[in-house]
Every structure is written in C-alpha cells, then in structure tokens.
Amino acid sequence: MNVTQAIKQRHSTRAYLDKAVSQQQIQSILEVARFAPSGVNMQPWQVAIISGQKKSSLQQQMQTAFEKGDKESMDYHYYPTRWVEPYKSRRIATGTELYTALDISREDKARRLQQWQANYRAFDAPIMLLFFMDPNLETGSYIDYGMFLQNIMLLAEEQGLATCPQGALAEFPKLIKNFLNYDESLILLGGMALGYEDKDHVVNQYRTTRVEVPEFSQFFE
Ligand SMILES: Cc1cc2nc3c(=O)[nH]c(=O)nc-3n(C[C@H](O)[C@H](O)[C@H](O)COP(=O)(O)O)c2cc1C
C-alpha cells in the first residue's frame, strides 16, 4: 500500500468486529508513528493503550458520568465556541450524513444521544488509545501531535486495521487521569478507536467529501 492509497482509504470507522488486536500490532504501529516530525524534535506524544477489562471499566465510568450529567471542562478547546461559516455548514453536513446513514431522524434525540455515547466506548473497538501532552508545551506541539496521529491512522490502514480519531474522549479529563493514575496537570487531547472494521455496518458505508483544491489554495508566481 502506498501513501496515497492509505490516505484515501482511511475513514472514520464507527463500528468494529469483535476481533482482538495484539499488543505487538500496536507496538509496531507506534514504532513507526514516532518518526513523525516535531519542532526541535520535542516528540510531545504520550499514549495510553486501553483494552480488555480496563477498557470496560473506564467506559463504564464515562457512561455513568455522562448519565449523571457530571460534565467536566476539557483541558483545551477542540471546537470553536462560536461557529462561523463555512465551518458551521460543514459541521451540520457531517452530522446530517452520519445520522442519515444510521436512519436517525432529526427529532429522534434519544438515538442521536445513543450514537454520541458510543464515543465513550470507542465504538466498541477492542482498543481505545488516549493521547496526553505535557502542559508546559505550547500551541506548536498540537501541530506536531496531529502528524503523529495521522501516522498512526495510516499505519493502521497498512495493517488492515481501522480507526476513528475522537475529540469526544477528551470530555472527561479528570475521570480519565484519575483512572489511569496520571498526573492531573497533563493535557488530555483526545483518543482514538482502533480495531478491525465491521464493513457490513451501515455507519461505515458513507464517505465524507472535501472542498476542491482551488477553494483553499492560491498559487503566487
Ligand atoms: C482530532 C479529531 C477528533 C474527532 N473527534 C470525533 C469524535 O469525537 N467522534 C466522532 O465520531 N468523530 C470524530 N472525528 C472524526 C471526524 O468527524 C471525521 O474525521 C470527519 O468527519 C471526516 O471524515 P473521515 O475521517 O471519515 O474522512 C474526529 C476527527 C479528528 C481529526
């Protein structure tokens, strides 16, 4: 598989087979992903790999916190607090596509909520990755981190695995750091579901679109 194929094939996968991914497979992905570039080679990534019993307990805790309405503030703002165009429309289109694929109507708040909550189980993938960063680092390190995350997703493709990057997994930073016994000052950036795609599931059938190159680029000669 070449880079172009891996990039084009990758898509956010929200239903997985009940098939294990070995520690060795994850290790081999991280072995290569760590070659992502970073400013002055800071390598800001810190990854927790959660599976099995640990994953069941953590997702149960998040689910309970969600049901009780125990909202936490995230360690950083992933989304804008005020939505402007064209991002507002793109956000709406993305949600609409997802719910249409699942045949969930606009009024069906219960099923929409259910779908959102599947985030806290990493969509039942066998692996939930969680990404942390030292609070002494600056905005530049978020750029570096993104490259590392994309590496993981492309390497997963190469291994026949699927992923979904998840900002939603940054919604309970205190709960998660407490669960993992991590320093509470660390920044929880989010997470990622990792596993074998359930290719028959409707949620994995649709594909998102992208704006054309001239809409976001300009040549100066
Ligand atoms: C950093 C990041 C966080 C995301 N968070 C979520 C999330 O919490 N839940 C979710 O279902 N999708 C999430 N996504 C997936 C996006 O919705 C998806 O990448 C986008 O719609 C484009 O679709 P594609 O990944 O299939 O190409 C996230 C993507 C990124 C890059």
Side-chain angles (χ1 to χ4, degrees):
M1 177 180 292
N2 64 35
V3 179
T4 301
Q5 285 165 337
I7 291 175
K8 288 206 159 168
Q9 187 176 295
R10 185 214 59 81
H11 55 274
S12 293
T13 301
R14 298 185 179 89
Y16 291 83
L17 299 178
D18 183 14
K19 183 174 170 186
V21 175
S22 70
Q23 256 198 41
Q24 204 191 345
Q25 279 172 290
I26 299 164
Q27 179 74 28
S28 74
I29 288 175
L30 296 177
E31 286 280 351
V32 183
R34 72 196 161 114
F35 286 97
S38 58
V40 296
N41 205 16
M42 276 190 286
Q43 306 167 66
W45 28 86
Q46 293 182 38
V47 189
I49 301 120
I50 324 285
S51 63
Q53 193 48 51
K54 279 278 180 200
K55 179 172 180 281
S56 306
S57 336
L58 178 58
Q59 63 196 32
Q60 185 55 56
Q61 284 192 21
M62 281 192 272
Q63 177 64 27
T64 307
F66 183 82
E67 279 166 12
K68 287 205 311 206
D70 286 348
K71 273 206 156 207
E72 293 187 26
S73 21
M74 282 171 61
D75 289 337
Y76 71 113
H77 287 290
Y78 181 63
Y79 296 108
T81 42
R82 194 173 65 86
W83 287 90
V84 297
E85 291 301 343
Y87 315 106
K88 192 174 170 182
S89 300
R90 289 179 192 163
R91 174 199 187 192
I92 292 168
T94 303
T96 306
E97 280 163 23
L98 173 67
Y99 294 125
T100 304
L102 287 164
D103 202 18
I104 301 177
S105 72
R106 185 177 274 275
E107 296 73 38
D108 198 343
K109 295 238 162 61
R111 279 192 66 210
R112 280 179 174 237
L113 206 61
Q114 253 176 26
Q115 176 58 28
W116 183 253
Q117 289 174 75
N119 268 292
Y120 307 129
R121 306 192 307 272
F123 303 108
D124 298 317
I127 307 292
M128 177 193 286
L129 301 174
L130 293 169
F131 303 103
F132 298 88
M133 194 171 93
D134 190 310
N136 295 299
L137 300 182
E138 287 293 345
T139 316
S141 293
Y142 289 84
I143 300 179
D144 303 340
Y145 222 117
M147 302 188 202
F148 173 71
L149 297 180
Q150 174 78 331
N151 275 0
I152 293 180
M153 293 188 275
L154 298 184
L155 290 159
E157 289 298 325
E158 193 181 50
Q159 289 209 16
L161 291 162
T163 54
C164 183
Q166 295 185 264
L169 287 174
E171 285 177 18
F172 297 102
K174 282 206 176 79
L175 183 158
I176 287 180
K177 284 178 267 187
N178 187 42
F179 181 86
L180 297 174
N181 245 328
Y182 275 15
D183 192 313
E184 65 173 41
S185 71
L186 281 173
I187 301 171
L188 172 60
L189 295 181
M192 190 183 289
L194 174 73
Y196 289 95
E197 178 174 3
D198 180 352
K199 294 196 164 131
D200 295 330
H201 199 292
V202 283
V203 78
N204 293 331
Q205 307 296 320
Y206 81 99
R207 291 292 175 272
T208 51
T209 57
R210 297 293 189 271
V211 298
E212 297 300 329
V213 174
E215 282 188 57
F216 65 83
S217 64
Q218 210 175 349
F219 288 91
F220 296 90
E221 288 179 344

